[in-house]
């Protein structure tokens, strides 16, 4: 058996510590196998794969599996990985670090159980030092279960969906998630950085242990350092050492526009010798919540313009790849969003890292319900896990400048009985208990709980009092920020009753469009997060829809025209966008909220002679619409009506035989933006648009290719359908093939799909070695397209 470093496993080393990315060379079996945890079990017939992996997304769409979990069957999957343990590791600490496991499961090493992962949205570490066969063969076995259908209300995915690391440390070392960096004082002239380090292995010993901290600036310059002697003779297994504060002159503040990141490099020296080293990024910024101005970042008012979504990444299912997250952030930013609420569970570590890098403000959420019964994804009851979940979660995420608030749950004020807490006071005591534990590990951020239906005494929609007694729920009176799902028209009445409330709309209905945004007091309130603004799997309102699709972006991140309406509100940049009404759409009640979407698309390939209804979305004063150069009229932006602001409706516009429709937006009589749609011809060929990004070899990076049917002039044909085949050669693989259709019955595996609205999306995964990758896309009756791509040598792995 080859040694780890040769089994396509990347390692990053720092003196004393080895971090092996343990994602490569696993075996997988779908189904439960009674003795698969045994060391001697024969897995030679199992499928070989690399992580991250979501075994549910590969399974057939199954109507009978139900809409909540995305029409995928529940089940169990087993993973095994064989590896050789280096003899030189003996006497040190060897850990398996799992970043998560959907939905929960167990881990064995050489047949011995080493850890239970009871809440799979958070990770766990297994100390395998005493079980390893040093210098010989070892096998790790993982059982992953999706749990029962009723355990979540949306698609979760299944399996080893995030990174796994094998870590080798000295017995005296920095603990897992053991570095806490705060900036207790921040001004433009000076910032104070306070670092606390948790140490393992110094109990009952008198050792000469020193901590050396070096701070590097955003440009990599060495700025400051401190040297501290670690506490001695401590009886605790783990000790938290507070290091002397470090001053930084003229700090570069972290903000959405300038997400500057500093690095703290902490070295642990024993008897003068380096035994461990950890690098953590952090930002210098202040956050402030108040009744007067909602939220301020670095003393400046910022209104949260966000989405509240689940963790899946479209065709990849729940499997986490950094590039897929980066792509989401870039698209959100391009449309003026600055915020994500990670409903209703902690997302990946890479999500937080990339939010730091791209200046996205995160409301970091622990769970949906505090429950022992339905909607609880834990392997054990919430009442037995919360005190383990909270430290793991807070210690993992507390150094991220992007994280501005902790959310302890969702829609709970009437559900306390579910949680196994017998306090019976509308969640108030439960919240306070959880909040105390959060503050133990991070007292720098406020906590909240999202609430709905939002009335006192467990007020439920449909009762006569609900619309007449607008009294906010008890829990909102004690949470540090009052987070309400929907209900924005009630907020002023709540403030009459409780003027101290700091209000955040933790879910806004996409069907209310920008009415939810303009309907808030933006000067005084914190912000809003559009629920399901990106299509997600599960929580479908009926087959063949595979998930929530009342969204502004498809699951492939293609914007629907309404995304431009949101952009017109979120950004000052003048814009106009035409959306042609395809159908009346649907309005329906879902979880007591009116949802739905008028189906609108942006193209001018319609039936000859049709009369079309159009929207133009604009933030300009007025729009003139012209068809084939002839004016249809000019209409004003109804700015004074918060529900219709930026929306202009055009009824019965004659399409004729097609041609061109143009919207000209003017402010103070001057053209500030225009949008035109042109009728295109018959599909003649395929085209490939390679999304701009670097592409690293090393097996973990992705490349997205947009495939479109085009006419003889190269213009996209949005009505084109039919099969496409994608072939990839070179050291890369086709990870998923998608077409953005949320009602698809196709899987994303394989090299064939159908065009949807003339579109398909190929997602390629890099191989280990840098080099040339050839891609060919073909379709019957259309000229094929080819691209020659290249993967670059991957940079050394950052120490996790
Ligand atoms: C909310 C809930 C979300 C989602 C949404 C759909 O009440 O918090 O998780 O179910 O409804 O409208």
């Amino acid at each position: 058996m080859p040694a780890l470093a040769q089994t396509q496993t990347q390692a990053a080393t720092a003196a004393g510590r080895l971090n092996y990315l343990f994602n490569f060379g696993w075996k997988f079996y779908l189904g439960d196998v009674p003795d698969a945890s045994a060391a001697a079990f024969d897995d030679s017939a199992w499928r070989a794969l690399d992580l991250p992996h979501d075994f549910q997304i590969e399974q057939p769409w199954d109507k009978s599996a139900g809409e909540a979990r995305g029409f995928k069957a529940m089940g169990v999957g087993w993973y095994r990985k064989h590896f050789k343990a280096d003899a030189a590791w003996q006497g040190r600490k060897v850990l398996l670090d799992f970043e998560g496991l959907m939905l929960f499961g167990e881990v064995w090493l050489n047949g011995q159980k080493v850890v239970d992962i009871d809440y799979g949205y958070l990770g766990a570490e297994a100390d395998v030092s005493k079980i390893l066969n040093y210098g010989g063969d070892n096998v790790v076995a993982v059982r992953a279960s999706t749990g029962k259908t009723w355990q979540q209300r949306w698609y979760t995915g299944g399996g080893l969906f995030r990174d796994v690391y094998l870590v080798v440390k000295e017995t005296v070392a920095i603990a897992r998630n053991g570095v806490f960096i705060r900036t207790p004082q921040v001004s433009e002239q000076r910032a104070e950085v306070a670092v606390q380090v948790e140490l393992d292995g110094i109990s009952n010993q008198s050792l000469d242990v020193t901590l050396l901290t070096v701070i590097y600036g955003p440009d990599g310059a060495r700025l400051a350092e401190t040297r501290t002697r670690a506490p001695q003779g401590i009886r605790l297994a783990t000790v938290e050492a507070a290091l002397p504060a470090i001053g930084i002159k003229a700090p570069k503040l972290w903000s959405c526009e300038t997400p500057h990141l500093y690095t703290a490099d902490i070295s642990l020296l024993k008897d003068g010798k380096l035994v461990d080293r950890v690098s953590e990024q952090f930002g210098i910024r202040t956050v402030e919540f108040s009744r007067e101005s909602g939220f301020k970042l670095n003393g400046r008012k910022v209104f949260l313009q966000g989405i509240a979504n689940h963790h899946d990444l479209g065709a990849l299912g729940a499997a986490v790849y950094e590039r897929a997250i980066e792509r989401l952030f870039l698209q959100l930013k391009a449309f003026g969003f600055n915020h994500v609420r990670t409903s209703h569970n902690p997302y990946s570590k890479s999500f937080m890292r990339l939010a730091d890098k791209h200046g996205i403000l995160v409301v970091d959420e622990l769970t949906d319900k505090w429950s022992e019964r339905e909607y609880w994804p834990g392997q054990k009851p919430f009442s037995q896990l919360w005190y383990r979940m909270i430290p793991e979660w807070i210690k993992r995420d507390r150094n991220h400048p992007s994280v501005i608030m902790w959310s302890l749950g969702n829609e709970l004020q009437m559900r306390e009985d579910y949680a196994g807490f017998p306090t019976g006071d509308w969640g108030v005591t439960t919240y306070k208990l959880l909040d105390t534990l959060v503050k133990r590990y991070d007292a720098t951020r406020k906590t909240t709980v999202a609430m709905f239906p939002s009335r006192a005494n467990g007020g439920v929609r449909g009762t006569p009092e609900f619309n007449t007694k607008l009294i906010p729920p008890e829990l909102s009176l004690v949470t540090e920020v009052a987070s309400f799902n929907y209900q924005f028209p009630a907020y002023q009445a709540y403030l009459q009753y409780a003027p101290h409330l700091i209000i955040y709309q933790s879910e806004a209905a996409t069907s209310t469009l920008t009415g939810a945004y303009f309907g808030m007091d933006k000067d005084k309130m914190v912000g809003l997060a559009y629920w399901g603004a990106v299509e997600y799997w599960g929580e479908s309102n009926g087959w063949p829809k595979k998930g929530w699709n009342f969204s502004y972006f498809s699951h492939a991140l293609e914007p629907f025209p309404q995304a431009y309406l949101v952009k017109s509100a979120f950004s000052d940049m003048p814009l106009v966008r035409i959306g042609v009404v395809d159908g009346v759409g649907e309005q329906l009640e879902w979880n007591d909220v009116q949802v739905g979407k008028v189906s609108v698309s942006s193209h001018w390939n319609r039936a000859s002679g049709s009369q079309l209804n159009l929207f133009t979305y604009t933030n300009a004063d007025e729009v003139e619409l012209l068809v084939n150069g002839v004016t249809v009229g000019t209409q004003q932006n109804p700015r004074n009506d918060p529900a219709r602001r930026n929306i202009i409706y055009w009824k019965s516009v004659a399409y004729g035989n097609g041609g061109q429709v143009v919207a000209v937006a003017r402010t103070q009589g001057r053209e500030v933006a225009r949008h035109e749609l042109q009728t295109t011809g018959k599909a003649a060929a395929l085209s490939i648009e390679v999304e701009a990004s670097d592409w690293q070899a090393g097996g973990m990076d992705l490349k997205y290719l947009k495939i479109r049917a085009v006419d003889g002039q190269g213009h996209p044909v949005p009505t084109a359908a039919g099969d496409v085949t994608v072939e990839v050669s070179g050291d890369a693989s086709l990870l998923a093939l998608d077409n953005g259709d949320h009602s698809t019955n196709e899987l994303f595996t394989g090299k064939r799909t159908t065009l949807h609205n003339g579109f398909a999306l190929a997602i390629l995964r890099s191989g280990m070695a840098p080099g040339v990758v050839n891609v060919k896309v073909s379709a019957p009756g259309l000229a094929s397209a080819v691209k020659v791509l290249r993967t670059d040598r991957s940079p050394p792995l950052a120490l996790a």
Side-chain angles (χ1 to χ4, degrees):
M1 196 179 314
L4 259 186
Q6 290 133 33
T7 54
Q8 296 183 320
T9 304
Q10 300 177 358
T13 54
R17 182 182 283 234
L18 297 159
N19 273 3
Y20 290 95
L21 181 61
F22 213 56
N23 284 356
F24 303 99
W26 288 78
K27 291 295 201 87
F28 173 74
Y29 181 84
L30 182 70
D32 215 353
V33 186
D35 49 354
S37 63
F41 180 83
D42 179 8
D43 56 28
S44 55
W46 286 16
R47 174 180 155 200
L49 54 73
D50 297 328
L51 307 182
H53 177 237
D54 172 2
F55 65 73
Q56 264 196 321
I57 199 75
E58 308 170 343
Q59 302 311 309
W61 301 106
D62 173 0
K63 192 173 176 189
S64 69
E67 69 287 344
R69 301 278 294 264
F71 297 111
K72 296 284 187 182
M74 297 301 109
V76 167
W78 276 91
Y79 297 83
R80 286 169 60 91
K81 178 174 160 72
H82 298 263
F83 64 101
K84 208 161 204 144
D86 195 325
W89 299 347
Q90 197 144 17
R92 298 164 78 186
K93 199 178 253 187
V94 186
L95 306 153
L96 288 172
D97 195 323
F98 293 86
E99 209 198 300
L101 178 71
M102 274 297 102
L103 192 59
F104 46 69
E106 300 88 28
V107 182
W108 291 261
L109 186 87
N110 299 338
Q112 278 193 50
K113 168 85 92 61
V114 288
V115 73
D116 289 312
I117 301 179
D118 293 326
Y119 184 73
Y121 294 97
L122 287 169
E125 176 182 83
D127 185 345
V128 295
S129 320
K130 296 207 172 77
I131 310 173
L132 273 180
N133 176 17
Y134 293 96
D137 299 344
N138 295 274
V139 59
V140 55
V142 179
R143 181 181 185 273
S145 168
T146 58
K148 301 272 192 290
T149 311
W150 47 263
Q151 288 195 271
Q152 289 284 245
R153 302 183 291 115
W154 56 87
Y155 176 79
T156 61
L160 283 170
F161 74 127
R162 293 186 187 157
D163 293 338
V164 181
Y165 276 87
L166 184 143
V167 183
V168 184
K169 300 200 278 192
E170 296 300 323
T171 49
V172 174
I174 297 168
R176 180 161 176 272
N177 298 325
V179 176
F180 182 25
I181 305 166
R182 291 176 303 120
T183 50
Q185 277 177 38
V186 178
S187 73
E188 283 189 2
Q189 292 74 40
R190 189 178 180 277
E192 193 175 292
V193 181
V195 181
Q196 177 190 288
V197 181
E198 217 177 289
L199 297 173
D200 278 342
I202 61 170
S203 58
N204 288 325
Q205 300 186 61
S206 187
L207 301 168
D208 177 12
V209 180
T210 303
L211 285 155
L212 170 70
T213 308
V214 183
I215 306 287
Y216 296 93
D219 57 358
R222 190 183 175 109
L223 298 180
E225 68 172 68
T226 63
R227 202 175 267 268
T228 327
R229 197 146 183 251
Q232 298 294 303
I234 292 284
R235 282 210 300 279
L236 296 169
T238 300
V239 54
E240 289 165 319
L243 311 187
I246 300 169
I248 306 279
K249 277 196 225 119
K252 288 198 153 78
L253 302 188
W254 184 93
S255 72
C256 299
E257 299 77 26
T258 58
H260 298 301
L261 291 171
Y262 286 75
T263 303
D265 200 280
I266 295 126
S267 300
L268 186 67
L269 307 158
K270 195 173 140 223
D271 303 322
K273 201 178 136 245
L274 184 64
V275 289
D276 200 6
R277 204 175 129 192
V278 167
S279 271
E280 281 281 306
Q281 286 202 310
F282 67 99
I284 301 177
R285 48 99 176 115
T286 61
V287 297
E288 194 187 320
F289 290 86
S290 72
R291 163 71 190 109
E292 292 69 39
S293 46
F295 172 69
K296 281 185 174 173
L297 183 65
N298 303 325
R300 204 172 58 89
K301 163 83 194 176
V302 176
F303 192 75
L304 303 189
Q305 303 176 159
I307 68 166
N309 253 83
H310 291 300
H311 67 182
D312 77 61
L313 293 165
L316 305 177
V320 175
Y321 292 87
E322 294 203 7
R323 188 65 68 185
I325 297 166
E326 183 144 67
R327 192 171 177 262
L328 168 70
F329 287 158
L330 292 174
Q331 187 67 314
L332 290 178
K333 287 194 79 155
F335 282 78
F337 291 82
N338 60 16
H339 160 56
V340 177
R341 169 182 170 217
T342 65
S343 38
H344 298 302
N345 312 92
Y347 286 16
S348 66
K349 292 206 292 202
S350 50
F351 188 93
M352 301 300 167
R353 231 173 15 238
L354 289 162
D356 289 350
K357 176 177 165 192
H358 291 285
I360 299 283
L361 303 165
V362 176
V363 171
D364 195 349
E365 194 152 272
L366 178 65
T367 186
D368 187 21
K369 311 301 176 210
W370 307 327
S371 168
E372 316 234 303
R373 299 181 243 162
E374 65 259 46
Y375 311 145
W376 171 242
Q379 188 159 224
K380 299 190 182 78
F382 179 72
S383 55
Q384 291 174 32
L385 293 183
W386 65 276
Y387 50 87
R388 288 180 14 215
M389 288 159 61
I390 288 177
E392 172 69 21
W393 172 52
I394 301 290
K395 287 169 73 177
R396 197 196 75 159
D397 290 351
R398 63 190 169 178
N399 293 335
H400 293 286
S402 54
V403 175
I404 55 164
M405 182 159 63
W406 306 113
S407 170
L408 292 163
N410 179 54
E411 302 189 341
L412 285 149
Q413 73 289 348
M414 72 301 190
R415 284 270 165 82
E416 189 163 60
D417 53 322
Y418 275 34
F421 290 95
T423 40
D425 59 355
W426 308 118
V428 169
T429 306
T430 309
Y431 160 72
K432 289 192 170 180
L433 279 171
L434 307 185
D435 176 68
T436 302
L437 188 53
V438 169
K439 297 288 187 332
R440 157 70 179 86
Y441 291 98
D442 173 32
T444 71
R445 294 176 178 87
K446 298 219 180 288
T447 59
T448 191
V449 176
M451 281 166 255
F452 183 86
S454 310
R455 296 290 186 274
N457 296 316
V460 175
R461 270 173 81 95
T463 56
E465 305 80 49
F466 193 83
N467 290 323
T468 50
K469 290 195 181 143
L470 300 184
I471 300 180
E474 295 78 358
L475 187 53
S476 69
L477 306 182
V478 297
T479 50
E480 291 170 315
V481 170
S483 298
F484 300 115
N485 292 347
Y486 317 107
Q487 295 287 308
F488 67 90
Y491 297 167
Q492 291 305 337
Y494 289 175
L495 288 169
Q496 295 285 316
Y497 181 87
H500 73 280
L501 296 183
I502 304 171
I503 294 179
Y504 161 59
Q505 190 175 177
S506 34
E507 288 175 27
T510 48
S511 58
T512 54
L513 297 170
T514 41
Y517 174 78
F518 292 122
M520 290 181 82
D521 181 343
K522 296 211 294 299
D523 293 336
K524 296 204 165 83
M525 294 178 184
V526 171
L528 86 174
Y530 279 105
W531 178 258
V534 179
E535 291 177 336
Y536 61 84
W537 307 119
E539 213 175 18
S540 150
N541 70 310
W543 182 271
K545 290 182 184 179
K546 302 304 181 298
W548 188 263
N549 73 337
F550 311 113
S551 310
Y552 297 146
F553 300 92
S554 77
H555 68 257
L557 295 184
E558 290 293 287
F560 295 114
Q562 290 92 335
Y564 291 89
L565 168 62
V566 176
K567 184 174 181 177
S568 78
F570 281 180
S571 115
D572 292 334
M573 210 174 67
L575 77 82
V576 63
R577 191 81 186 180
I578 304 168
V580 182
V581 178
D582 294 319
V584 285
E586 53 182 319
Q587 279 298 327
L588 75 152
E589 203 157 281
W590 182 254
N591 285 0
D592 299 337
V593 175
Q594 243 3 82
V595 296
K597 179 168 83 179
V598 178
S599 175
V600 172
S601 59
S602 275
H603 69 83
W604 204 237
N605 283 20
R606 308 281 165 171
S608 282
S610 52
Q611 301 283 317
L612 299 167
N613 299 328
L614 269 59
F615 287 102
T616 49
Y617 303 127
T618 190
N619 44 15
D621 288 352
E622 60 180 34
V623 172
E624 181 180 4
L625 193 75
L626 302 106
V627 175
N628 296 333
V630 179
T631 188
V632 174
T634 297
Q635 292 195 63
Q636 300 299 307
N637 180 352
R639 281 209 176 105
N640 295 329
D641 177 352
R644 292 196 308 126
R645 183 169 168 177
N646 290 11
I647 305 173
I648 298 173
Y649 186 55
W650 305 83
K651 201 165 166 40
S652 300
V653 175
Y655 174 74
N657 284 317
Q660 189 194 49
V661 59
V662 183
V664 180
R666 298 194 183 93
T667 292
Q668 294 178 346
R670 208 169 49 82
E671 179 177 334
V672 288
R674 90 169 30 213
H675 182 219
E676 64 179 67
L677 302 176
Q678 182 82 45
T679 306
T680 56
K682 235 170 119 297
L686 291 172
S687 76
I688 304 175
E689 181 198 330
V690 181
E691 284 192 0
S693 66
D694 51 345
W695 192 20
Q696 311 290 336
M700 288 302 295
D701 201 1
L702 307 183
K703 190 60 151 177
Y704 282 75
L705 308 182
K706 287 179 174 168
I707 300 160
R708 291 194 184 88
V710 293
D711 67 8
Q713 271 74 53
H715 297 128
V717 183
T719 45
D723 284 2
V724 256
T725 303
V726 178
E727 283 154 292
V728 178
S729 62
D731 197 8
S733 56
L734 183 60
L735 184 64
L737 192 51
D738 185 15
N739 64 11
D741 177 6
H742 216 55
S743 294
T744 187
N745 291 323
E746 296 177 9
L747 294 177
F748 308 115
T749 49
K751 56 181 191 171
R752 198 205 62 79
T753 188
T754 48
L755 292 171
H756 176 65
N757 299 333
F759 173 82
L761 181 72
I763 310 173
L764 274 53
R765 180 177 185 171
S766 65
M768 284 296 153
V772 171
V773 175
N774 289 293
V775 183
K776 180 177 179 197
V777 295
S778 48
L782 303 181
S784 314
V786 293
K787 279 283 171 203
V788 181
L789 308 168
R790 179 171 278 281
T791 58
D792 300 321
R793 190 167 301 282
S794 57
L797 256 194
L799 291 176

